[in-house]
Amino acid sequence: MKESIKQTVATLTYISVERIMGWYDQKTERTVHSIHLYADSISTSRNTFKLEHVHDMSYKPFSSGAGFFYLHTTQGVFTYEVDTDPTYFIHIYKNLRS
């Protein structure tokens, strides 16, 4: 039985920020990840959602050019910090849903 290979329809890069507490100091670690949109699902570094479990996507820009990308799912709202405008990603998602 062959395993089907998923093709990425769209990709959105996001930043994950983690505070690391040391004995005498605190460090902030920023890592870059991607959200992949497939024909039937959306995948992040920690979660995968079927498209039927995704209600909506939205974006709140900041004056600095960055912003928050919100993924509204049946499991709740997931927030991702992005440096680029995700309008194209959201448009592709809405085309897949219609």
Side-chain angles (χ1 to χ4, degrees):
M1 186 162 130
K2 281 190 172 182
E3 189 176 313
S4 65
I5 298 173
K6 287 187 173 188
Q7 287 190 340
T8 304
V9 177
T11 302
L12 178 64
T13 302
Y14 70 96
I15 299 159
S16 175
V17 180
E18 181 181 1
R19 286 192 186 141
I20 302 168
M21 301 300 289
W23 234 179
Y24 299 104
D25 61 348
Q26 173 180 311
K27 295 179 186 175
T28 303
E29 185 175 299
R30 297 170 63 86
T31 54
V32 178
H33 303 280
S34 295
I35 301 173
H36 299 283
L37 176 61
Y38 302 104
D40 63 344
S41 63
I42 293 177
S43 176
T44 69
S45 64
R46 294 186 178 187
N47 300 303
T48 300
F49 306 99
K50 291 187 179 270
L51 282 189
E52 59 261 18
H53 297 155
V54 177
H55 300 301
D56 199 10
M57 297 177 184
S58 58
Y59 174 61
K60 174 70 176 169
F62 301 139
S63 59
S64 66
F68 283 136
F69 173 75
Y70 298 99
L71 187 59
H72 306 261
T73 73
T74 56
Q75 296 177 1
V77 178
F78 294 81
T79 306
Y80 303 94
E81 183 181 337
V82 295
D83 283 338
T84 57
D85 186 345
T87 302
Y88 176 75
F89 188 89
I90 294 170
H91 177 73
I92 296 296
Y93 159 75
K94 289 184 178 183
N95 283 344
L96 285 174
R97 292 291 296 194
S98 59

